Amino acid sequence: MEPATRLDNNHELSLHDFPYIIRWRDDRCKRCGRCTAVCPMFAIEPAVMVQRVLRSEGSLPEPKAVRRVVTIIKQSTDIGKYCTGCATCSLVCPNDAIEPEYNPRHKFIFHKNKGGHPYRRGGRRNSPGLSTLDRLRFTRISMLTDPALDAGRHEFRIRTYLGRILPAEELPVKVVGGRLEVDRKSGKFIPPVREIYPVMIGSMSIGALSPNMWEGLAMGVTYLNEVEGMPVVMCSGEGGMPRRLLKSRFIKYFIPQIASGYFGWDEIVRAIPDMIEDPCAIEIKYGQGAKPGDGGLLMAHKVLKLIAEIRGVPMGVDLPSPPTHQTKYSIEEAVAKMIQSMYMAWGFRVPVYPKISGSRTAKAVLNNLVRNPYAAALSIDGDDGGTGAAYNVSMDSMGHPIASNLRECYLDLVAQGKQNELPLIAAGGAGKRGNLAANAAALFMLGASAVSIGKYIMQAAAGCFGDEYNRCNVCNLGRCPRGITTQDPRLYRRLDPDVVAERVVEVFKSLDVELRKIFAPMGRSTELPIGMSDGISADDPAIAERLKISYVC
Amino acid sequence: MCRLVAITSDEYFSPVENILALETMKEGHDGSGMGLILKGLGGEFEELKDYPILSGICSKEGINKLDSYMDKIGFRLKYAWTPKTRHVKGIEARDYYFARVYDYPDVYRDRSQEDKEALLLKTRITLRKLGQDDESIIVFSFYPDIITLKEVGDPLQLGTFFGLDKSPLRAKIIFAQGRQNTNYAINLYACHPFFIQGYGTMTNGENTAFIPIREFLSSRGFPGYIGYNSDSEVFCHILHYICRRLGYPLFYYKDVITPLNDAEINMRPDSEAVRFLKMSLRPLCIDGPNCVIGFTPDGTCFMVQDAKKLRPGVVGGVAGKYGLMSEECGLDSAIPERDKSKDIFPMKYDMVIVRPGAGEVEVWNQLHG
């Protein structure tokens, strides 16, 4: 006998193949439609369904089967409309009637390549386990032989330097009348150095971020500097900066980034004659931890009027940045000449440093920079870093964790006696599980002079939904439900830049307290404990051996 | 916490004075070692000031190794002093304690002072390495007008053991430390005071920034920056690095180990240079609760401490004799006749300096330069 309907649904997916399954409660739902209106993926939609119900209406039980049409919320099984688990539906539901539930047995990755297009997304490596940084503990606690400090009352100086630092032997100083004086006649180039807060906001571009998000971050950073006296700095990411900011006195808190697409640099260069302050530094991006060796792409639908103006390009076109700086042929050109060119643009008053992906070749770059007297720092971005758009395979499988990469580079500098001359900036995974202070302090003790954060500040300051279970992660589509990584005004107006700024300030102030709570019991207060490797231990002997720190159990 | 007694005088005095002062601080040292450095030697050494003195301890085999090495290099023994040791219960006597005065090898006779000092350093390091594995040779210093004595035990008992109470050994500057062993092994090389090329220091308090400082010093490419059996040895090497290698005046030592903050630096007349120092020598910030007492080759003695030092050291005395000590009771023992109301407890910004001859005490203030 033939079935009433066909049962050969072989090429369809079931909800169990999807990473998130919507749990919708019929009894709570009042059918207001808010959830379906906000879903960035159209993963849920209102639908009708025929229900068969038994009813008995008389004084005696006389059940009758009744068929009725009801409205429901239905989850799509179209792979293009998968539920990302962002839970914006739960956020707007007045009756707690809906929520996505993570399905650990999903087979999403097997199917998300329709049309031969591999899965692309934003976010970070989907690796929810403990990172190496999370496995480090601060074990050298001052007990009786020296006093632990009072984190609340003692004077702490949590600062670091960004810029090439001359070795003492090369300082242009001489003794005159029993005092040291700077020798103006020496003709020695003194590289510019900034004193900054050791945790900086890493490169996220206007374009990748919505105008409200970027403005919120920028206002927060400015407030921290101007009102709280915390010299927190922020990198622009590739794609320029608003002209008004370039010409303002606040540019000194920002680090414009130049990357392989050179987007935004026409505007920046044109603004130089009108700039009343120098930027904090210039970052040359050679790589990014989340997608090492890969270029960038700002999709056409994100290239709206503001972005087109800032980047100096037409509206509505894809903006690809190549994997490498294509006008450069070698490390000598790419690094030495480019660094010098950028120095020249600001009269050698602004530190210029490269940023690379974490890589086993990082030491080769480092050694090149060591010999370049203009290189102001090296920023290394580990594979737990984030991105606005990349292939899933790049994010999940490419790159080098920051901990051992940083440690190797630092110890290499120590072997050459250059550990104080070329600051290392560590990025990629600091605060992955929310414990930014602990991760940052561990990175300092492994040898970082500064730590750069991206995802953490998006989560803490703007409530980014993304996590290592592939939640949300649609930054690449311009459909960010929080309004953080979108250029759609209907979405980004959800994000109040003042609230973002307020949260940035709260986050850094609380970070500062937590750093003191780490440094104080270890007896450190005057200088950042860079390379204080006897202060930390790992709970795994192999990690301890690799990082050349102690093992505790 | 280790106890420190430094006395500087315009007249020769016996190290017993230091030991008696240490005795008054007995609750603070645990018999894990005492070190003595004598500078500005009197008695039989007064006429030998131009010749380097090798101070150390050898086993019977070690002394043969030492002699053959020194012969090979061309050092000629001019005079040998050994303490007349006595049996003291609890102190394990080693074979041969010595302070041996040598004449330079002929080829070095007309060489510069710098070359001579490099040779002395190299020789000391080689001897140290020669005897390190079997502890057959332990050498503490090899420098003109300096004698170093170190041994494990209670200071007073060690004084008796070395026969210092009956010895004519005298000096104008004597540093003594009674060690309280904390987290490092009992090892004579871990015992203060430390010495390198005319500079000496002793310290108390744990050094929280030891590892980055050690890594910085070890990577300066200077052969003398080795050892570090104690975290306090770095204080001596920092002093040597600042004053000798970089040629900065003494008070910049304070600027390097306890740097000012930016606003404070702006108050200094030499602010530009101080800011450079703070950046370039950032890894040498001690950032710990330490009191450092030191001397320089010309015989200037000083005391500095970090702001985290909760119990400051004290400097006091009379014209011609000053003590720099970790506790006031030590000063009472060594210089009871002084006006105690004039004792100086150096604070956060202070560097207390007593010039050779111990005529007076200067307090250099870091804020004002």
Side-chain angles (χ1 to χ4, degrees):
Chain A
M1 197 172 89
E2 280 288 307
T5 54
R6 291 178 66 104
L7 297 176
D8 56 344
N9 303 51
N10 281 355
H11 295 288
E12 291 175 21
L13 299 176
S14 88
L15 284 180
H16 288 279
D17 294 320
F18 282 79
Y20 287 90
I21 299 173
I22 294 290
R23 301 294 173 207
W24 172 71
R25 292 179 61 172
D26 187 5
D27 57 330
R28 288 191 174 186
C29 179
K30 66 171 188 175
R31 275 72 174 173
C32 65
R34 291 184 194 183
C35 54
T36 52
V38 296
C39 179
M41 299 301 287
F42 308 108
I44 47 173
E45 54 195 11
V48 290
M49 175 170 90
V50 177
Q51 275 183 341
R52 178 180 174 275
V53 287
L54 285 178
R55 277 193 179 166
S56 174
E57 290 177 346
S59 55
L60 291 173
E62 291 174 18
K64 286 179 190 167
V66 179
R67 286 176 187 275
R68 63 171 192 178
V69 175
V70 292
T71 53
I72 59 162
I73 300 295
K74 189 176 180 193
Q75 182 174 358
S76 170
T77 54
D78 176 351
I79 192 77
K81 295 180 178 178
Y82 70 100
C83 171
T84 65
C86 71
T88 316
C89 50
S90 312
L91 194 69
V92 298
C93 180
N95 288 353
D96 297 332
I98 190 166
E99 62 174 339
E101 187 179 289
Y102 182 63
N103 169 23
R105 294 162 65 191
H106 72 83
K107 302 186 85 175
F108 176 70
I109 204 78
F110 289 81
H111 305 292
K112 187 66 180 123
N113 48 20
K114 289 289 177 224
H117 301 299
Y119 176 36
R120 285 169 290 179
R121 60 182 179 86
R124 75 299 310 287
R125 200 159 66 96
N126 286 325
S127 166
L130 286 176
S131 70
T132 302
L133 297 179
D134 290 320
R135 303 189 65 166
L136 305 180
R137 297 185 63 74
F138 304 97
T139 47
R140 190 195 191 282
I141 311 300
S142 297
M143 278 291 138
L144 296 171
T145 55
D146 60 329
L149 307 170
D150 185 332
R153 291 190 294 182
H154 197 85
E155 178 196 348
F156 284 81
R157 280 184 245 160
I158 302 179
R159 297 287 184 270
T160 194
Y161 295 119
L162 177 59
R164 184 59 170 250
I165 296 168
L166 287 178
E169 288 81 359
E170 292 178 23
L171 284 175
V173 292
K174 58 181 180 182
V175 182
V176 179
R179 280 210 180 104
L180 285 177
E181 260 184 23
V182 173
D183 183 4
R184 306 246 168 250
K185 290 179 189 152
S186 72
K188 175 94 191 159
F189 169 59
I190 303 170
V193 179
R194 313 284 194 234
E195 193 177 54
I196 62 168
Y197 195 74
V199 177
M200 53 205 272
I201 298 181
S203 40
M204 294 180 287
S205 70
I206 306 183
L209 298 184
S210 68
N212 284 14
M213 181 63 189
W214 210 90
E215 191 183 349
L217 291 178
M219 285 195 296
V221 163
T222 307
Y223 186 93
L224 283 165
N225 279 276
E226 302 259 317
V227 180
E228 298 292 342
M230 289 175 72
V232 177
V233 297
M234 167 176 161
C235 182
S236 71
E238 182 182 21
M241 301 169 80
R243 201 176 302 163
R244 200 157 55 94
L245 176 56
L246 288 168
K247 294 177 184 174
S248 79
R249 66 185 175 87
F250 305 116
I251 188 66
K252 61 188 171 191
Y253 310 135
F254 293 86
I255 301 172
Q257 186 193 68
I258 184 164
S260 57
Y262 308 120
F263 292 118
W265 275 82
D266 276 351
E267 297 301 310
I268 292 176
V269 170
R270 281 197 197 106
I272 290 176
D274 301 320
M275 288 171 77
I276 54 171
E277 288 273 358
D278 289 331
C280 169
I282 303 294
E283 180 175 281
I284 306 174
K285 179 190 165 186
Y286 293 100
Q288 187 174 344
K291 46 177 174 179
D294 206 355
L297 176 64
L298 190 69
M299 305 283 278
H301 55 76
K302 283 180 120 175
V303 187
L304 302 182
K305 187 163 178 279
L306 174 73
I307 306 306
E309 273 176 17
I310 293 174
R311 297 197 175 199
V313 295
M315 282 168 56
V317 294
D318 280 346
L319 300 181
S321 302
T324 58
H325 291 251
Q326 300 205 332
T327 53
K328 313 292 175 196
Y329 308 118
S330 64
I331 188 165
E332 290 77 15
E333 280 222 321
V335 179
K337 288 187 183 171
M338 198 151 171
I339 288 176
Q340 270 169 282
S341 306
M342 300 312 294
Y343 262 101
M344 258 187 277
W346 274 276
F348 291 81
R349 300 186 307 272
V350 177
V352 181
Y353 67 90
K355 171 190 166 183
I356 59 167
S357 318
S359 161
R360 290 184 65 183
T361 61
K363 266 168 67 173
V365 178
L366 179 79
N367 282 303
N368 186 280
L369 296 181
V370 163
R371 293 190 295 275
N372 178 346
Y374 298 101
L378 174 63
S379 176
I380 306 174
D381 191 14
D383 66 352
D384 269 326
T387 177
Y391 284 89
N392 182 66
V393 68
S394 299
M395 261 187 273
D396 278 359
S397 308
M398 302 290 292
H400 196 304
I402 185 62
S404 63
N405 216 200
L406 166 75
R407 187 75 179 137
E408 245 178 7
C409 286
Y410 177 75
L411 291 176
D412 199 54
L413 288 175
V414 169
Q416 300 179 58
K418 306 274 189 187
Q419 63 268 48
N420 190 50
E421 295 172 35
L422 190 75
L424 295 171
I425 304 168
K432 179 178 172 178
R433 293 163 70 90
N435 39 4
L436 174 61
N439 287 175
L443 285 165
F444 300 144
M445 291 180 201
L446 290 174
S449 282
V451 167
S452 197
I453 55 167
K455 300 183 310 287
Y456 179 88
I457 199 71
M458 297 217 286
Q459 294 179 94
C464 165
F465 291 133
D467 68 13
E468 283 73 24
Y469 291 92
N470 205 24
R471 183 179 172 194
C472 200
N473 287 352
V474 289
C475 333
N476 57 323
L477 300 180
R479 294 189 208 159
C480 174
R482 281 295 208 196
I484 302 169
T485 57
T486 176
Q487 299 306 321
D488 183 345
R490 288 170 303 177
L491 293 175
Y492 70 66
R493 74 182 175 202
R494 294 175 186 174
L495 193 67
D496 183 341
D498 288 332
V499 177
V500 173
E502 201 177 317
R503 286 291 299 142
V504 168
V505 174
E506 287 175 349
V507 164
F508 272 92
K509 286 179 75 177
S510 106
L511 167 68
D512 198 56
V513 173
E514 286 197 324
L515 285 175
R516 289 168 194 225
K517 292 301 285 184
I518 293 170
F519 298 154
M522 302 177 86
R524 295 298 303 262
S525 63
T526 310
E527 281 291 347
L528 203 63
I530 299 167
M532 184 185 164
S533 53
D534 58 335
I536 45 172
S537 306
D539 66 359
D540 178 291
I543 291 176
E545 191 185 347
R546 184 79 177 86
L547 298 180
K548 294 191 168 55
I549 57 174
S550 63
Y551 161 63
V552 289
C553 57
Chain B
M1 200 172 288
C2 302
R3 296 301 194 250
L4 314 172
V5 172
I7 300 172
T8 169
S9 169
D10 62 350
E11 287 177 9
Y12 295 113
F13 61 95
S14 163
V16 172
E17 288 192 30
N18 296 62
I19 289 171
L20 290 174
L22 275 180
E23 177 63 12
T24 66
M25 312 171 179
K26 192 162 181 161
E27 78 281 6
H29 47 78
D30 61 6
S32 59
M34 180 185 70
L36 279 171
I37 286 187
L38 293 84
K39 177 177 168 64
L41 300 168
E44 60 254 73
F45 292 96
E46 202 170 352
E47 305 302 315
L48 299 165
K49 283 192 188 300
D50 294 335
Y51 300 102
I53 305 168
L54 181 67
S55 301
I57 307 169
C58 277
S59 66
K60 283 175 186 135
E61 302 78 44
I63 194 67
N64 294 331
K65 269 199 276 184
L66 185 140
D67 279 341
S68 71
Y69 181 75
M70 294 302 269
D71 278 350
K72 196 174 98 188
I73 300 295
F75 278 108
R76 286 194 306 275
L77 187 63
K78 271 186 86 72
Y79 178 72
W81 175 87
T82 56
K84 294 187 173 55
T85 55
R86 281 177 276 179
H87 174 73
V88 174
K89 196 181 168 192
I91 293 176
E92 202 176 319
R94 297 174 210 242
D95 294 345
Y96 183 53
Y97 300 87
F98 61 85
R100 302 174 122 209
V101 184
Y102 286 91
D103 195 357
Y104 290 101
D106 288 342
V107 287
Y108 272 83
R109 187 150 296 165
D110 299 323
R111 299 278 283 271
S112 67
Q113 183 63 18
E114 198 171 326
D115 285 355
K116 285 179 179 170
E117 291 197 17
L119 173 72
L120 298 180
L121 181 72
K122 190 177 153 202
T123 308
R124 176 172 66 80
I125 292 168
T126 310
L127 289 171
R128 176 180 171 142
K129 285 179 182 160
L130 269 177
Q132 192 143 298
D133 292 340
D134 56 359
E135 291 197 347
S136 58
I137 304 172
I138 301 172
V139 281
F140 304 119
S141 58
F142 189 24
Y143 202 77
D145 204 24
I146 291 283
I147 288 180
T148 309
L149 275 175
K150 292 181 183 179
E151 187 49 282
V152 176
D154 174 77
L156 196 61
Q157 289 182 332
L158 283 171
T160 311
F161 170 74
F162 283 127
L164 295 177
D165 48 339
K166 299 207 163 65
S167 163
L169 192 62
R170 298 283 185 276
K172 288 186 175 175
I173 297 170
I174 301 179
F175 276 46
Q177 184 236 19
R179 186 158 182 247
Q180 185 178 68
N181 187 51
T182 51
N183 54 352
Y184 294 88
I186 294 179
N187 177 322
L188 284 185
Y189 281 127
C191 190
H192 314 214
F194 298 103
F195 178 85
I196 184 166
Q197 290 192 327
Y199 296 87
T201 67
M202 53 188 181
T203 313
N204 66 10
E206 201 136 321
N207 180 358
T208 46
F210 172 53
I211 297 295
I213 297 175
R214 184 186 68 184
E215 284 176 345
F216 187 84
L217 290 168
S218 304
S219 58
R220 291 311 90 196
F222 183 72
Y225 298 159
I226 56 161
Y228 308 123
N229 300 81
S230 157
D231 60 8
S232 294
E233 192 163 11
V234 297
F235 297 104
C236 181
H237 293 181
I238 296 172
L239 177 67
H240 175 270
Y241 180 63
I242 299 302
C243 294
R244 172 149 179 158
R245 306 246 9 243
L246 297 176
Y248 299 162
L250 174 62
F251 57 82
Y252 288 102
Y253 180 63
K254 170 82 177 150
D255 277 319
V256 170
I257 63 171
T258 63
L260 296 171
N261 67 33
D262 234 31
E264 292 166 337
I265 289 178
N266 290 337
M267 299 164 69
R268 287 279 293 267
D270 49 358
S271 58
E272 220 177 343
V274 174
R275 191 166 287 110
F276 279 139
L277 258 54
K278 186 183 171 189
M279 287 194 287
S280 295
L281 299 169
R282 168 166 63 158
L284 297 182
C285 165
I286 61 173
D287 210 354
N290 303 106
C291 171
V292 184
I293 302 174
F295 64 82
T296 58
D298 70 350
T300 298
C301 297
F302 68 89
M303 177 188 285
V304 282
Q305 38 208 22
D306 185 90
K308 289 189 279 284
K309 186 78 190 165
L310 300 180
R311 195 184 52 187
V314 56
V315 180
V318 294
K321 189 173 191 181
Y322 279 94
L324 303 88
M325 310 209 182
S326 59
E327 327 292 318
E328 183 147 32
C329 57
L331 208 48
D332 290 344
S333 152
I335 314 172
E337 68 276 22
R338 77 196 192 284
D339 178 354
K340 282 175 76 166
S341 67
K342 290 187 175 156
D343 285 353
I344 297 165
F345 297 86
M347 291 291 146
K348 181 176 174 180
Y349 299 113
D350 296 338
M351 180 180 225
V352 179
I353 298 168
V354 186
R355 302 281 174 200
E360 58 176 3
V361 181
E362 297 164 36
V363 180
W364 178 82
N365 185 289
Q366 193 183 7
L367 268 186
H368 306 116

